[in-house]
Structure formats: structure tokens, C-alpha cells
């Protein structure tokens, strides 16, 4: 019995020591590091993952003509000033450059009040870098530039920097938690981030984010993630009050979008994916049953076009079926049907059916700069048709019905544009306001009155005959977008 007792005692002592050590290190162990992405508040409208900070910073330097233009856009300008400010701080001490090299880092945008967007910068601290080192770094900067105070929030120290000169950059706050450096120009956003890290929540918990995050390209300058539940509200702060409601309606476009970003000296390349919700109809879900098609609108659009949006589909009938489902989900189907019904009653024409019959696989909305034929910028709506001759015949029948409904001659609704002695184009006019928007949706609401011409296999609408004459002239002279050198260079990089 005595022998067994002395055999057991050493095991009890060893076990007790192990338990004591486990207990000690459990109580005193440092906070486990957290991925920087998990610190970004889930109300972010936009998240930028910067894969190579130094390279990205250099590409946005003063030598980039494109970035100098982009800086005039309010959001880009604010990000640019903040990046340069942070770079100036981190370059103050040579060792601090390791923070920027410890990629990836993140920039997030948040709606923080009436017409106000705030940004937060998130960095993973490199080994041997801690809160004290960051505090010394920023303290060295504020000696001559401002003051820094400290307060406690949820057990984390928040450092608030007040600058003597806010002409270029606003006051900011920063904190370190779980080896993550958080810098924000809004204390609200910073507190949200700290609270979220403590609660163990993250963007990855949101529906669809993990799936869209997995699509991000690796060998690119940056990845942009758009949260459509938040982004339209943030974007609306940059537009006129009468457009805010339309911008905010894009909340139903999708759940998330991801775009790979490469910034070249003269172009910004962005391509990626959108993620529609599984159970709720969205604009993006309209295209789930469609196959990608080759875009050919650039063969018709003038080289002076400033921007254009093209929607392609492989099955026009299915497209409108899914569009109806989307409108039903949004509670707008009845209004859409009533609008089309009123058009049918007024002009004895089923515009939706007539357009579906001639529609091929592409519709485009384009903005063109002003020129000698146009006193102001013009919008174009292009619809690729199955046959130009068939479309001409059908549209002439519609014009005759419109003329009959208004007791006028069809000749009143058409005029000829003679380009030269051998080439003449017929320009038609329909007195139907916002027709393309009534059929295809508010996204195509840029055209009010509807003048149109058929060029090859394209039906082209615009709000003025002068805009159409300008487009025709450019098309005949081969001054189209597809022949524009800068556009060809851009397209070759896609």
C-alpha cells in the first residue's frame, strides 16, 4: 500500500503543476491576433483590399494622369489625401515602413450621417510592432502638428489626434487591438470596429460575402467589394437631391460585387462578379438565366462617347420574364403593367411585344459629349435588332398607328438626313415620353423624347435629331468607338 502511495504522489504533483501552468497562461496570455478583415464594421458600404500598398501608392502618385483626374471625384480625393497623410507618418521612422509592407491592408467606407462618408484604414501589425511603438511613432509626428489624447473604450485605448491645421486632413483617431492597427477619421467607425472585434463578428458572417471574397484575384493592385445594402445610400451623398431616390433604389441590384483593380498610367481596369441573393429577386438575378454575349455597340457609338452601359442577354423572352419577377418582388409589377397598358390603349400598339419581336441580344445606354450638332451632351439608347429591314417595317407600322391616333399624316413623324448625294438616312419621331424607360426600366430613363434611326442592325434612339445626325456622321466616317485608339488599348487589356 505504501509503495503504491509513493508511486501515485509524483503523478499528482506533476498534474497539479500542469494545471497551474495552464490556468496561469490562460489568464495572462496575450490577445490572439485577428485577421484585419474581421475588424471592418459590417455596415461598410465599400471595402478596398490593397494587396501591395507601396506599389498602389506609387501608382496613385502625382505622375499618374488618370489618378489626378479621379481625385476630382469627392470619394477618390478623400482617400488620396488620407493615404498620403498616413504615408507621411509611417515614413517618419524608417522601421514604420514595415507596417505598409505587411499586406494586405484594407480601406473601408461608411455612411456616418447626413451626406457624410467616413473611411477607416486597417493594418495588420508586423512582428515586434506593438501599441507602444505605434504611439511613439504618431507622438513624434504630433509634436509640431497637433496634440494626442487617450481614452478607454471597451478595455481598448483610443488615441484621438487633434491637428493644428485641418486644411488638408481632418482630425483622426486610432487604436490597436488583437495586433490590428485601426485608423479612422470618425470615432463612430473606430468604436464600431473595436466593438465588433470584441464580439467576434465579421463581414464573413454576412450572406454572400464569403462567396464573393473567394472570387477575388490575387495578382492585382487591389480588390473592391461593394455592399449593395449600404453602397447606394453612400453614393447618394454625391448627387443632387432630385437624384438621391433613384441612386438609393440600386439597393436591390445585388448583395455583393467584387472587382479586381489594376491601375495603369492612363486607364483603370476593373472586372469581377456580382452575387445576387438566393431568395429575393434582384436586378442581378435577372441575368442568372442568360449567357454572356459579345458586345458590338462600339461599332455604332461615336468615338467621342464619354461612357456607356451595355446589357446583353441570350434569351430576350426569358429576360423579360425574370424582369417581371423582379418587379413583382419590388411591388412594382402592377404599375409597370398599367403603364404599358395605357400606351397600348393610346396608340393601339403593344410596345413590349413589338420590341421583343425585333430585339436581338443587346441594349446600350451611352452618354456623348457636346459638339457642333449638339448644344449639350446627348444620351443614346441602342438596341441590336435581328434584322434591320424587319425592324424598319415594323417601326413604320407603329409610326402609322401613332399618326392615326393623333389624326396626322405619318410623314409628319419622319425626316430625311442626306449625308451626301448617294447616302440618305431616315430619322423618325415618336411623341411618346420616356418610352425606353417604360419598357426596359428606370435605368434607361436618360431619354425623354424619342427620335430614332436604323443603322445596320441597330435601332438608335436619342432626344434630338441633331444628336442622331452627329452619330450618323461619325459612323459613316468610321469615327466610331471601336476605332478610337485609347478605347482599343483599353479593350485589349480586358
Amino acid at each position: 500500500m505504501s509503495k503504491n502511495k509513493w508511486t501515485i504522489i509524483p503523478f499528482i504533483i506533476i498534474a497539479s503543476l500542469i494545471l497551474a501552468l495552464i490556468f496561469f497562461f490562460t489568464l495572462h496570455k496575450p490577445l490572439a491576433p485577428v485577421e484585419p478583415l474581421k475588424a471592418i464594421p459590417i455596415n461598410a458600404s465599400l471595402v478596398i483590399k490593397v494587396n501591395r500598398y507601396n506599389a498602389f501608392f506609387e501608382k496613385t502618385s502625382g505622375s499618374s494622369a488618370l489618378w489626378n483626374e479621379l481625385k476630382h471625384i469627392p470619394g477618390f480625393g478623400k482617400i488620396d489625401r488620407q493615404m498620403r497623410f498616413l504615408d507621411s507618418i509611417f515614413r517618419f521612422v524608417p522601421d514604420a515602413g514595415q507596417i505598409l509592407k505587411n499586406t494586405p491592408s484594407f480601406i473601408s467606407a461608411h455612411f456616418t450621417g447626413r451626406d457624410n462618408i467616413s473611411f477607416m484604414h486597417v493594418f495588420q501589425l508586423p512582428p515586434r510592432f506593438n501599441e507602444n511603438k505605434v504611439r511613439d511613432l504618431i507622438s513624434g509626428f504630433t509634436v509640431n502638428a497637433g496634440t494626442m489624447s487617450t481614452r478607454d473604450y471597451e478595455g481598448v485605448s483610443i488615441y484621438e489626434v487633434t491637428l493644428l491645421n485641418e486644411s488638408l486632413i481632418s482630425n483622426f483617431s486610432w487604436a490597436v487591438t488583437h495586433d490590428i492597427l485601426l485608423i479612422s477619421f470618425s470615432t463612430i467607425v473606430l468604436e464600431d470596429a473595436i466593438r465588433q472585434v470584441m464580439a467576434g463578428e465579421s463581414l464573413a458572417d454576412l450572406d454572400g460575402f464569403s462567396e464573393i471574397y473567394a472570387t477575388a484575384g490575387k495578382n492585382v493592385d487591389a480588390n473592391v467589394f461593394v455592399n449593395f445594402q449600404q453602397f447606394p445610400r453612400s453614393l447618394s451623398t454625391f448627387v443632387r437631391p432630385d437624384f438621391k431616390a433613384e441612386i438609393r433604389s440600386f439597393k436591390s441590384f445585388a448583395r455583393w460585387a467584387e472587382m479586381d483593380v489594376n491601375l495603369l498610367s492612363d486607364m483603370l481596369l476593373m472586372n469581377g462578379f456580382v452575387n445576387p441573393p438566393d431568395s429575393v429577386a434582384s436586378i442581378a438575378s435577372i441575368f442568372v438565366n442568360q449567357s454572356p454575349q459579345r458586345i458590338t455597340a462600339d461599332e455604332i457609338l461615336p468615338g467621342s462617347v464619354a461612357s456607356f452601359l451595355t446589357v446583353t442577354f441570350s434569351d430576350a423572352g426569358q429576360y423579360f420574364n425574370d424582369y417581371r419577377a423582379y418587379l413583382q418582388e419590388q411591388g412594382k409589377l402592377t404599375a409597370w403593367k398599367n403603364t404599358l397598358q395605357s400606351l397600348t390603349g393610346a396608340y393601339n400598339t403593344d410596345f413590349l411585344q413589338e420590341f421583343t419581336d425585333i430585339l436581338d441580344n443587346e441594349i446600350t445606354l451611352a452618354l456623348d459629349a457636346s459638339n457642333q450638332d449638339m448644344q449639350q451632351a446627348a444620351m443614346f439608347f441602342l438596341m441590336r435588332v435581328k434584322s434591320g429591314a424587319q425592324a424598319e417595317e415594323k417601326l413604320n407600322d407603329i409610326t402609322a398607328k401613332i399618326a392615326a391616333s393623333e389624326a396626322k399624316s405619318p410623314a409628319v413623324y419622319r425626316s430625311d438626313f442626306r449625308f451626301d448625294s448617294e447616302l440618305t438616312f431616315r430619322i423618325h419621331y415618336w411623341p411618346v415620353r420616356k418610352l425606353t424607360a417604360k419598357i426596359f426600366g428606370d435605368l434607361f430613363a436618360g431619354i425623354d423624347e424619342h427620335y430614332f434611326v436604323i443603322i445596320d442592325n441597330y435601332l438608335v434612339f436619342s432626344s434630338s435629331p441633331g444628336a442622331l445626325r452627329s452619330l450618323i456622321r461619325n459612323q459613316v466616317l468610321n469615327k466610331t468607338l471601336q476605332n478610337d485608339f485609347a478605347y482599343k488599348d483599353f479593350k485589349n487589356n480586358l
Side-chain angles (χ1 to χ4, degrees):
M1 185 70 176
S2 177
K3 183 177 181 180
N4 290 340
K5 178 180 178 181
W6 287 108
T7 303
I8 293 173
I9 286 176
F11 287 102
I12 294 175
I13 294 174
I14 293 171
S16 299
L17 288 173
I18 292 173
L19 289 173
L21 289 171
I22 291 174
F23 181 73
F24 175 82
F25 285 114
T26 299
L27 287 180
H28 293 85
K29 72 177 182 179
L31 293 174
V34 170
E35 295 178 15
L37 182 65
K38 292 183 178 180
I40 296 175
I42 58 176
N43 65 357
S45 58
L46 189 77
V47 178
I48 303 174
K49 178 187 176 188
V50 182
N51 295 311
R52 297 183 294 271
Y53 194 96
N54 288 334
F56 187 75
F57 183 84
E58 292 301 323
K59 289 185 177 183
T60 59
S61 64
S63 60
S64 172
L66 175 64
W67 188 257
N68 287 334
E69 290 297 322
L70 290 175
K71 285 192 297 186
H72 295 299
I73 302 174
F76 281 93
K78 185 179 288 189
I79 290 176
D80 179 78
R81 289 192 299 273
Q82 293 178 6
M83 285 178 59
R84 303 203 179 287
F85 175 70
L86 295 177
D87 181 75
S88 68
I89 294 178
F90 292 145
R91 286 177 189 255
F92 186 78
V93 175
D95 290 345
Q98 296 300 316
I99 296 177
L100 302 182
K101 294 178 181 179
N102 197 34
T103 56
S105 61
F106 294 86
I107 304 172
S108 59
H110 306 262
F111 182 85
T112 53
R114 183 177 178 83
D115 292 343
N116 188 39
I117 304 299
S118 298
F119 293 93
M120 185 173 71
H121 302 255
V122 183
F123 301 90
Q124 178 78 62
L125 288 179
R128 300 184 301 280
F129 238 97
N130 54 31
E131 180 178 334
N132 292 334
K133 210 164 186 179
V134 176
R135 184 180 61 233
D136 292 342
L137 171 67
I138 297 181
S139 294
F141 168 81
T142 58
V143 167
N144 298 316
T147 60
M148 184 167 64
S149 59
T150 310
R151 64 182 174 89
D152 180 83
Y153 182 78
E154 301 286 341
V156 176
S157 295
I158 291 182
Y159 299 84
E160 298 180 341
V161 177
T162 303
L163 300 172
L164 298 176
N165 183 359
E166 290 188 75
S167 60
L168 294 178
I169 204 75
S170 303
N171 297 331
F172 66 96
S173 303
W174 67 274
V176 172
T177 179
H178 293 74
D179 291 337
I180 298 176
L181 171 60
L182 308 170
I183 302 176
S184 181
F185 296 79
S186 165
T187 55
I188 295 174
V189 175
L190 187 61
E191 289 174 358
D192 285 346
I194 294 171
R195 203 163 49 243
Q196 182 170 293
V197 171
M198 296 300 179
E201 300 175 347
S202 78
L203 287 170
D205 299 327
L206 298 181
D207 287 343
F209 181 79
S210 294
E211 293 86 343
I212 204 68
Y213 191 78
T215 68
K218 302 297 188 294
N219 298 317
V220 293
D221 295 328
N223 309 101
V224 175
F225 303 92
V226 180
N227 181 357
F228 280 100
Q229 296 305 301
Q230 303 289 339
F231 183 68
R233 182 172 63 167
S234 298
L235 188 62
S236 69
T237 63
F238 301 116
V239 302
R240 299 202 314 259
D242 48 331
F243 282 104
K244 288 184 182 294
E246 291 184 19
I247 295 297
R248 289 180 177 178
S249 68
F250 273 87
K251 179 179 180 180
S252 61
F253 183 81
R255 282 189 305 192
W256 286 92
E258 184 279 329
M259 290 171 286
D260 298 338
V261 178
N262 276 310
L263 184 64
L264 305 182
S265 60
D266 57 350
M267 68 182 72
L268 179 66
L269 298 179
M270 303 179 72
N271 61 81
F273 301 89
V274 295
N275 184 7
D278 296 326
S279 57
V280 179
S282 63
I283 296 177
S285 67
I286 298 173
F287 303 98
V288 169
N289 297 313
Q290 304 293 331
S291 300
Q293 305 291 304
R294 189 173 74 89
I295 295 175
T296 58
D298 53 7
E299 299 172 5
I300 302 296
L301 290 172
S304 56
V305 159
S307 62
F308 72 96
L309 168 69
T310 294
V311 174
T312 65
F313 32 76
S314 53
D315 186 334
Q318 183 64 50
Y319 170 84
F320 280 110
N321 287 339
D322 292 332
Y323 182 57
R324 289 186 186 91
Y326 162 74
L327 293 176
Q328 178 73 51
E329 183 74 33
Q330 299 297 315
K332 300 178 180 179
L333 181 60
T334 299
W336 182 66
K337 286 183 174 179
N338 289 341
T339 297
L340 294 178
Q341 186 111 25
S342 66
L343 288 175
T344 301
Y347 300 109
N348 192 29
T349 299
D350 185 343
F351 283 96
L352 177 59
Q353 186 60 54
E354 300 286 5
F355 273 53
T356 304
D357 287 345
I358 64 174
L359 177 61
D360 188 6
N361 63 353
E362 179 186 282
I363 53 177
T364 295
L365 186 70
L367 172 66
D368 191 15
S370 59
N371 58 41
Q372 61 181 0
D373 291 313
M374 304 180 296
Q375 297 303 314
Q376 58 185 4
M379 298 290 294
F380 295 108
F381 176 87
L382 282 69
M383 188 173 87
R384 185 176 175 85
V385 296
K386 299 170 184 174
S387 164
Q390 177 198 11
E392 184 90 51
E393 181 180 349
K394 190 174 284 288
L395 297 175
N396 281 335
D397 291 341
I398 296 175
T399 300
K401 292 178 181 179
I402 292 175
S405 69
E406 298 195 343
K408 295 180 180 178
S409 168
V412 174
Y413 299 95
R414 58 178 180 252
S415 61
D416 290 336
F417 169 54
R418 184 179 295 277
F419 179 79
D420 57 28
S421 59
E422 299 180 353
L423 196 56
T424 300
F425 294 84
R426 175 151 291 181
I427 296 176
H428 304 256
Y429 169 67
W430 285 350
V432 185
R433 309 297 288 267
K434 303 286 185 184
L435 176 62
T436 50
K438 290 174 180 176
I439 295 174
F440 294 97
D442 292 338
L443 184 63
F444 301 97
I447 297 178
D448 187 7
E449 294 188 281
H450 286 71
Y451 294 85
F452 68 88
V453 65
I454 293 178
I455 302 176
D456 296 334
N457 281 350
Y458 274 92
L459 168 60
V460 184
F461 286 98
S462 191
S463 292
S464 75
L468 290 179
R469 287 194 293 268
S470 175
L471 182 143
I472 292 169
R473 185 176 291 107
N474 281 287
Q475 207 276 333
V476 174
L477 297 176
N478 287 322
K479 295 181 179 180
T480 57
L481 192 58
Q482 73 164 353
N483 293 323
D484 180 79
F485 177 78
Y487 175 77
K488 285 197 295 185
D489 188 30
F490 168 78
K491 193 172 182 179
N492 289 335
N493 281 281
L494 296 178

